[in-house]
C-alpha cells in the first residue's frame, strides 16, 4: 500500500457510509479511484453540484454520473438554484448541498480533493481580504460540517504537480474546468499570476507559507458567545475578542466577515455613540444600543400589525408579537410566554387594542399617585434600543389610554383578576428583563 492510500486511511475507518464530492476534475477523479481501491464499495456515495455557471457544466455532471454507473456507486446530483453570483455564493450553496446529501445517505464524512496548491491559494486569498491571523491556518485535514459530519481532505500534503503525475501514471480521464483559466475570478489571479511571481522571487515560498500556517495552528481558538453585550466582549483578551466576534457574525450573516468590519465594530465598542450603525455583508447591519450590539436586517419594514381584543377568548401571531387572551377560567396556562397580565375586565373599557407607540402616549402608572409618564421617556429609561421602540407592542383601552408597557409599566386601572393576556415579543429578543408576571414599576 503506497503513501496515497495511507493518507486516506489515516483519516477514516471506513466502517460506515461516506460521501465523495466529485467535480469530475483531475483531483477528485483520482480520489474516487483511490477510495475504490481501499474501501468497501457498498459504503461509498458520490455527490456533485452543478453550479450552472458555465454552459458545459451539465456535461461535467453527466461525466461523474457515468463513472458512478460504471462502478455501481450511488450518485447524488444537485443543481444550484439560483445560479451563484459570486465565489462565496457558490461555496455557501456547496456546503448546503453537501449537508443535505450527507443526511440523505446517512454519511458521517465527506471527502474533498483539496490539495496543497489549493491551500496556498486559500491562505493568500484570506490574507489579502484581511481575514486576520486565524486565516493563516488555512484548511484542515479534518473539520466539522455539521454535528457528526466531517469534511476530510487527504490531499492537503500533495501538490498539484504530484497529483497530475499520478493521474498520468494511471491514465485516468477527467474533465477540464474552463473557468479555472478565467482571470476575472480573484482566486485564479492568485493561481496564475501571484503565486508564480512569488515563486520566481523566492523559490521556497510555498514551504514558507505552509510553515507559517502550521505555526498559526497554535493560536487560541475563538470562544462561543451567545450575544454581543459589551460586558461579554470586554471580558475577553483583544485577540480572542476579535476572532470570537468574527465567528459570531459569520454565523449570523452566513457571509465572510473581514477584519475591516471587526476594526469598525471594536472602534464603535470603545467610543461609539448609541444608535451608531455598521453595514455587514448578507443584508445585515450592526446597531449600537446601550450595553450591547444588535443585528438587524436591512430591508423595508412592514407596518406594525394591530390587534383588537374583545371579552371573548382569542389569539393572534404577527411578525412582532404573539398574544393569547380571554377569561382566566377558559385559558390554559402559557408559562413559556414572556409577559402575563391579569386584571378585572369590569374595570377596563373594552375593546382593547395592541398597537405601536405614538408620540403623545403617556401612562398613568400604578403606584405613582396618578402621575403620568411619557412612554418615550420610559423606553429610554428602560434602555430599549431606539430601533425597536416603534415596534414595541403597547396595550391601550377603547379610549386609546395606555394600559400596559410589557415589562416596563402597568396603568393604575389594572387591578384584580378574571381576565388574562399572555404576550411574547417575537420581533427581537427583549432588551428588558422578562418575568412570569409583568412587574409593577
Amino acid at each position: 500500500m503506497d503513501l496515497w492510500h495511507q493518507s486516506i486511511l489515516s483519516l477514516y475507518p471506513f466502517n460506515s457510509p461516506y460521501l465523495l464530492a466529485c467535480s469530475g476534475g483531475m483531483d477528485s477523479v483520482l480520489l474516487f479511484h483511490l477510495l475504490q481501491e481501499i474501501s468497501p464499495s457498498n459504503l461509498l456515495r458520490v455527490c456533485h453540484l452543478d453550479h450552472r455557471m458555465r454552459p458545459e457544466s451539465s456535461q461535467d455532471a453527466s461525466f461523474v454520473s457515468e463513472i458512478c454507473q460504471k462502478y455501481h456507486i450511488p450518485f447524488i446530483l444537485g443543481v444550484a438554484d439560483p445560479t451563484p453570483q459570486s465565489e462565496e455564493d457558490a461555496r455557501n450553496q456547496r456546503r448546503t448541498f453537501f449537508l443535505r446529501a450527507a443526511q440523505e445517505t446517512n454519511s458521517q464524512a465527506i471527502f474533498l480533493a483539496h490539495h496543497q496548491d489549493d491551500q496556498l491559494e486559500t491562505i493568500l486569498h484570506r490574507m489579502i481580504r484581511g481575514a486576520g491571523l486565524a486565516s493563516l491556518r488555512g484548511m484542515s485535514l479534518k473539520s466539522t460540517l455539521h454535528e457528526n459530519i466531517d469534511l476530510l481532505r487527504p490531499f492537503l500534503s500533495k501538490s498539484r504537480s504530484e497529483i497530475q503525475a499520478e493521474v498520468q501514471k494511471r491514465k485516468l480521464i477527467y474533465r477540464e474546468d474552463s473557468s479555472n483559466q478565467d482571470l476575472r475570478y480573484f482566486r485564479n489571479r492568485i493561481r496564475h499570476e501571484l503565486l508564480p511571481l512569488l515563486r520566481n522571487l523566492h523559490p521556497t515560498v510555498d514551504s514558507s507559507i505552509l510553515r507559517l500556517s502550521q505555526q498559526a495552528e497554535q493560536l487560541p481558538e475563538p470562544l462561543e458567545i451567545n450575544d454581543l453585550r459589551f460586558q461579554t466582549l470586554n471580558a475577553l483578551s483583544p485577540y480572542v475578542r476579535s476572532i470570537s466576534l468574527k465567528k459570531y457574525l459569520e454565523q449570523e450573516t452566513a457571509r465572510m466577515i473581514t477584519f475591516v468590519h471587526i476594526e469598525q465594530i471594536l472602534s464603535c465598542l470603545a467610543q461609539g455613540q448609541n444608535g451608531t450603525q455598521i453595514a455587514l455583508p448578507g443584508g445585515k447591519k450592526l446597531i449600537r444600543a446601550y450595553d450591547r450590539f444588535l443585528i438587524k436586517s436591512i430591508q423595508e419594514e412592514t407596518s406594525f400589525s394591530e390587534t383588537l381584543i374583545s371579552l371573548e377568548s382569542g389569539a393572534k401571531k404577527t411578525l412582532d408579537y404573539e398574544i393569547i387572551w380571554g377569561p382566566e377560567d377558559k385559558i390554559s396556562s402559557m408559562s413559556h410566554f414572556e409577559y402575563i397580565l391579569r386584571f378585572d375586565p369590569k374595570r377596563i373599557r373594552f375593546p382593547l387594542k395592541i398597537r405601536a407607540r405614538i408620540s403623545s402616549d403617556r401612562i398613568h402608572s400604578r403606584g405613582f399617585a396618578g402621575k403620568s409618564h411619557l412612554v418615550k421617556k420610559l423606553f429610554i429609561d428602560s434602555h430599549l434600543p431606539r430601533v425597536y421602540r416603534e415596534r414595541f407592542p403597547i396595550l391601550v383601552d377603547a379610549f386609546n389610554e395606555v394600559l400596559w408597557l410589557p415589562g416596563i409599566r402597568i396603568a393604575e386601572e389594572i387591578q384584580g383578576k378574571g381576565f388574562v393576556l399572555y404576550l411574547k415579543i417575537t420581533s427581537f429578543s427583549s432588551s428588558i428583563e422578562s418575568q412570569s408576571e409583568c412587574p409593577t414599576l
Side-chain angles (χ1 to χ4, degrees):
M1 187 170 294
D2 61 19
L3 294 176
W4 291 96
H5 297 102
Q6 291 176 16
S7 65
I8 297 172
L9 286 169
S10 65
L11 290 177
Y12 194 66
F14 295 101
N15 55 8
S16 60
Y18 65 94
L19 272 171
L20 165 66
C22 185
S23 66
M26 177 178 68
D27 322 314
S28 58
V29 167
L30 174 60
L31 185 52
F32 173 87
H33 285 278
L34 290 170
L35 289 169
Q36 276 283 98
E37 293 165 1
I38 63 175
S39 162
S41 59
N42 64 325
L43 298 180
L44 173 60
R45 290 95 171 89
V46 172
C47 64
H48 175 94
L49 179 64
D50 181 359
H51 293 91
R52 301 192 303 163
M53 297 176 73
R54 295 176 289 114
E56 68 273 20
S57 66
S58 61
Q59 297 174 27
D60 296 342
S62 297
F63 173 78
V64 178
S65 176
E66 290 169 5
I67 294 178
C68 292
Q69 289 177 12
K70 179 180 179 180
Y71 290 91
H72 308 290
I73 301 298
F75 175 62
I76 302 96
L77 173 64
V79 179
D81 185 21
T83 301
Q85 299 302 307
S86 67
E87 294 175 77
E88 188 172 0
D89 283 343
R91 177 179 177 274
N92 289 333
Q93 288 204 35
R94 278 197 302 274
R95 292 181 71 88
T96 300
F97 169 66
F98 290 163
L99 175 59
R100 185 174 72 249
Q103 292 173 334
E104 290 175 356
T105 58
N106 295 315
S107 298
Q108 297 182 7
I110 304 172
F111 278 86
L112 305 173
H114 294 126
H115 49 69
Q116 184 174 287
D117 291 64
D118 292 324
Q119 180 79 298
L120 293 166
E121 293 163 14
T122 296
I123 293 170
L124 289 171
H125 187 240
R126 291 177 179 176
M127 287 173 61
I128 293 168
R129 291 190 62 179
L133 289 175
S135 69
L136 296 176
R137 292 175 176 163
M139 297 177 284
S140 301
L141 282 170
K142 182 176 182 179
S143 59
T144 300
L145 174 65
H146 179 76
E147 294 180 353
N148 295 322
I149 302 173
D150 292 326
L151 298 176
L152 307 178
R153 302 178 177 90
F155 285 176
L156 280 186
S157 62
K158 304 293 186 182
S159 68
R160 182 180 286 112
S161 59
E162 288 177 297
I163 291 173
Q164 188 173 27
E166 184 68 17
V167 166
Q168 291 174 347
K169 173 184 172 183
R170 291 168 171 263
K171 299 180 180 179
L172 300 178
I173 300 173
Y174 57 89
R175 294 280 297 175
E176 290 280 5
D177 185 344
S178 60
S179 68
N180 287 336
Q181 307 300 319
D182 191 341
L183 295 182
R184 289 176 299 176
Y185 296 109
F186 187 62
R187 179 179 283 272
N188 287 344
R189 298 198 67 182
I190 293 176
R191 178 180 305 166
H192 298 297
E193 295 180 346
L194 179 58
L195 264 174
L197 175 62
L198 292 175
R199 287 163 177 160
N200 184 54
L201 292 172
H202 189 38
T204 61
V205 69
D206 289 18
S207 59
S208 297
I209 294 174
L210 293 171
R211 187 163 53 250
L212 189 61
S213 177
Q214 293 170 356
Q215 293 171 355
E217 292 289 343
Q218 302 174 27
L219 292 169
E221 294 288 340
L223 299 178
E224 292 289 343
I225 53 179
N226 299 317
D227 58 52
L228 297 181
R229 294 174 187 264
F230 298 163
Q231 183 178 3
T232 301
L233 297 174
N234 286 326
L236 305 176
S237 67
Y239 176 71
V240 174
R241 181 190 305 139
S242 295
I243 60 174
S244 302
L245 182 58
K246 183 177 187 294
K247 179 180 179 180
Y248 179 88
L249 293 175
E250 288 180 338
Q251 291 171 342
E252 292 292 318
T253 64
R255 292 290 189 274
M256 179 179 175
I257 299 294
T258 71
F259 271 86
V260 173
H261 295 113
I262 300 302
E263 288 172 359
Q264 290 177 333
I265 295 167
L266 294 180
S267 176
C268 185
L269 172 65
Q271 54 190 14
Q273 296 182 346
N274 191 43
T276 299
Q277 299 187 14
I278 298 172
L280 298 174
K284 304 280 188 177
K285 61 183 177 182
L286 193 80
I287 305 169
R288 179 177 173 125
Y290 295 106
D291 64 340
R292 73 200 70 191
F293 288 119
L294 303 170
I295 298 176
K296 189 171 174 62
S297 295
I298 302 174
Q299 58 186 9
E300 184 178 354
E301 296 284 2
T302 56
S303 59
F304 185 90
S305 179
E306 298 184 344
T307 298
L308 280 177
I309 298 173
S310 67
L311 286 166
E312 299 295 323
S313 300
K316 185 173 179 180
K317 186 173 183 179
T318 75
L319 290 174
D320 295 290
Y321 61 90
E322 182 177 355
I323 187 168
I324 298 174
W325 69 87
E328 283 194 79
D329 58 356
K330 296 183 180 180
I331 300 292
S332 301
S333 176
M334 299 288 174
S335 58
H336 61 286
F337 276 59
E338 291 174 293
Y339 306 108
I340 305 171
L341 184 69
R342 293 184 170 89
F343 56 88
D344 182 352
K346 297 177 182 179
R347 299 175 60 91
I348 305 298
R349 298 171 294 191
F350 275 79
L352 309 182
K353 181 192 288 186
I354 293 287
R355 63 163 172 79
R357 180 186 72 89
I358 57 178
S359 60
S360 60
D361 275 342
R362 304 185 73 90
I363 182 171
H364 291 81
S365 307
R366 185 201 298 175
F368 284 84
K371 182 180 179 182
S372 70
H373 297 88
L374 192 65
V375 169
K376 177 181 178 180
K377 186 175 187 305
L378 292 176
F379 281 172
I380 294 172
D381 292 344
S382 298
H383 290 181
L384 183 67
R386 183 195 302 271
V387 68
Y388 294 139
R389 293 174 199 166
E390 307 309 316
R391 306 193 70 82
F392 190 88
I394 291 174
L395 180 69
V396 299
D397 66 11
F399 290 84
N400 219 19
E401 294 290 331
V402 179
L403 299 177
W404 187 33
L405 307 177
I408 300 176
R409 287 293 167 89
I410 305 174
E412 57 189 358
E413 295 97 324
I414 301 296
Q415 296 184 25
K417 292 188 176 182
F419 202 87
V420 63
L421 297 177
Y422 292 100
L423 180 73
K424 181 191 298 182
I425 298 176
T426 55
S427 59
F428 59 91
S429 297
S430 180
S431 297
I432 53 181
E433 297 296 327
S434 61
Q435 302 186 21
S436 59
E437 288 282 350
C438 189
T440 302
L441 301 177

